[in-house]
Amino acid sequence: MADMEGLAQAIISGDAKSAVELTQQAIEEGVGPQTVLNEGLVAGMGVIGKRFKANEVYIPEVLISARAMKSAMEVLEPKLAAAGVEPISKALIGTVQGDLHDIGKNLVIMMLKGNGFEVIDAGVDVSPEAFVEKAKDSGVKLIGLSALLTTTMPAMEKTVKTLKEAGVDAKMMVGGAPVTQAYADKISADGYAPDAASAVDLARELAGL
Ligand code: B1M
């Protein structure tokens, strides 16, 4: 029987092998990929986040959990993507310059893919100029910026400004733990989403769907 608690625990203890096995097992048993994502992977990472904040675990443990989550995500991603048929729109998403956090960004990407978007993953530590280049090359009409550090939020503002100055005609959505609606308004982004599920709703709205 699908073991979501065990999967969350595998993420917490950073056991990539079990995380992958339990993810595969759940999918084989017909558990929906979004349930596996929310009740297993995100739940486990949430616990690690709280423990990290309370100084109960440190960066190496967090990193090991993050790797376990990434491995399980590799199994889950095609299943989420398979839920979509033809891409309903195309988006470019990356973590801003100076910021290496990519778990939230990857979740947003997976959720968007699972909801029928084609997504170009720009990666992490993406400079404003690299965003401009990728946006122009791909012709996307939707760009997503993620930031997890208060110190990289200015890079988010700079990226929005640089994209606009370069004449990139795309809607820009922002997110990440320290980002707020007020900040999105301040930097003239087109929208803010607090989590991956709302990011899908926002992306649909900004894409005019
Ligand atoms: Co970092 N880190 N970290 N870290 N880390 C935080 C963010 C921190 C809050 C921890 C803390 O002190 N309590 C803190 C930031 C403090 C601040 O700025 N206010 C912090 C720090 C300080 C640092 C370092 C500076 C630590 C150091 O070296 N001294 C360093 C910086 C490295 C860098 O980026 N240059 C660092 C490093 C790391 C690791 C490498 C160890 C690892 C990252 C691994 C990886 O991403 N591959 C890591 C992790 C894992 C965390 C915590 C524990 C978890 C982050 C995470 O993945 N959360 C985090 C503490 C915490 O959050 N409690 C912390 C789970 C993820 C699903 O949530 O990313 O918020 P989140 O994404 C959500 C939403 O925000 C939203 O949807 C997602 C899903 O619902 N969302 C979007 C995200 N992007 C979006 C984009 C959108 C829309 C919604 O539209 C485009």
Side-chain angles (χ1 to χ4, degrees):
M1 207 183 116
D3 181 7
M4 292 301 104
E5 234 170 78
L7 178 53
Q9 193 51 52
I11 299 298
I12 294 165
S13 55
D15 182 351
K17 191 168 171 281
S18 297
V20 167
E21 282 169 6
L22 289 168
T23 299
Q24 269 161 348
Q25 193 186 319
I27 288 165
E28 278 161 22
E29 287 176 13
V31 180
Q34 291 197 2
T35 303
V36 179
L37 179 65
N38 294 331
E39 293 178 17
L41 308 189
V42 174
M45 205 61 215
V47 171
I48 277 292
K50 283 191 192 121
R51 290 186 184 170
F52 188 53
K53 219 172 191 169
N55 291 324
E56 290 167 10
V57 296
Y58 298 96
I59 289 172
E61 288 99 319
V62 174
L63 201 50
I64 292 167
S65 289
R67 281 190 192 144
M69 181 151 179
K70 211 165 185 173
S71 304
M73 276 172 162
E74 278 163 23
V75 178
L76 205 56
E77 189 173 4
K79 306 293 169 194
L80 282 166
V85 197
E86 283 294 302
I88 53 173
S89 189
K90 195 168 161 187
L92 168 71
I93 301 198
T95 303
V96 300
Q97 191 162 40
D99 203 321
L100 301 175
H101 295 84
D102 67 355
I103 296 170
K105 166 192 72 77
N106 292 343
L107 280 177
V108 171
I109 291 176
M110 283 199 310
M111 293 286 280
L112 285 173
K113 284 183 176 175
N115 281 274
F117 282 78
E118 181 184 339
V119 184
I120 301 164
D121 184 356
V124 296
D125 190 14
V126 185
S127 69
E129 297 72 25
F131 266 112
V132 169
E133 196 186 321
K134 287 175 200 293
K136 287 193 168 170
D137 286 352
S138 59
V140 288
K141 294 288 174 215
L142 179 63
I143 299 173
L145 310 177
S146 181
L148 260 287
L149 299 168
T150 45
T151 50
T152 57
M153 286 168 73
M156 187 172 255
E157 180 173 16
K158 192 174 173 211
T159 304
V160 171
K161 194 164 173 264
T162 307
L163 282 161
K164 288 189 176 177
E165 282 171 0
V168 172
D169 177 24
K171 298 282 184 190
M172 292 167 215
M173 59 188 265
V174 295
V179 181
T180 60
Q181 181 64 57
Y183 185 72
D185 294 342
K186 179 179 169 272
I187 66 171
S188 304
D190 298 292
Y192 156 76
D195 55 55
S198 351
V200 174
D201 297 337
L202 176 63
R204 290 184 65 92
E205 188 190 318
L206 294 178
L209 298 165

